[in-house]
Amino acid sequence: MNVSKPSTLPADLDQAVWTRLVQATSDEEFCTTWLRIQSTMIPRVSGGLVALLGPETTTIAPVAQWPRESSDASALLRVAERVVQERKGVVTRSNEDGPPETQQIHIGYPVWVGKDLRGAAALRIAPRPSLE
């Protein structure tokens, strides 16, 4: 597997994290490490989830969540399910009726292996701070 890394790493991403990604021996280990890297490198990510399809099924199940202690990943799982159903990226807001500065954005994208849809990754992005 060829995984490139940026020339400068965020403070909490060290070489050990990249090594863990490259040397992962299971889907869960790979997805957990990959999600940690994405959630650290992308600004304002407040949560993330990777869900994969089971063998011979159309049902997805979470295999990685960030942060690990996060208890409510239901909105991200719904986004991941929609991504798998539509077979394309999806962007939703947490509260369509609220003011934009309070709305979290949910971004989901399919996980493809070759031409096979294997699941979806979803990130929750915190609202952009208001400009005063």
Side-chain angles (χ1 to χ4, degrees), residues 71-111:
S71 61
D72 184 23
S74 58
L76 292 174
L77 184 57
R78 284 192 303 275
V79 169
E81 289 169 341
R82 184 173 161 196
V83 166
V84 168
Q85 179 183 12
E86 296 181 15
R87 302 175 67 87
K88 65 179 184 176
V90 171
V91 177
T92 65
R93 294 185 184 274
S94 62
N95 178 4
E96 296 289 339
D97 298 327
E101 62 273 6
T102 65
Q103 296 178 5
Q104 296 188 25
I105 307 283
H106 299 135
I107 300 171
Y109 203 77
V111 173

Side-chain angles (χ1 to χ4, degrees), residues 19-37:
T19 301
R20 205 167 329 147
L21 180 70
V22 173
Q23 295 177 351
T25 59
S26 68
D27 288 344
E28 181 178 354
E29 184 181 8
F30 181 87
C31 291
T32 298
T33 306
W34 178 87
L35 185 58
R36 177 179 173 203
I37 291 168

Side-chain angles (χ1 to χ4, degrees), residues 48-84:
L49 174 121
V50 177
L52 298 178
L53 290 161
E56 307 297 321
T57 181
T58 59
T59 304
I60 62 172
V63 295
Q65 184 175 331
W66 184 89
R68 287 182 185 240
E69 63 275 359
S70 178
S71 61
D72 184 23
S74 58
L76 292 174
L77 184 57
R78 284 192 303 275
V79 169
E81 289 169 341
R82 184 173 161 196
V83 166
V84 168

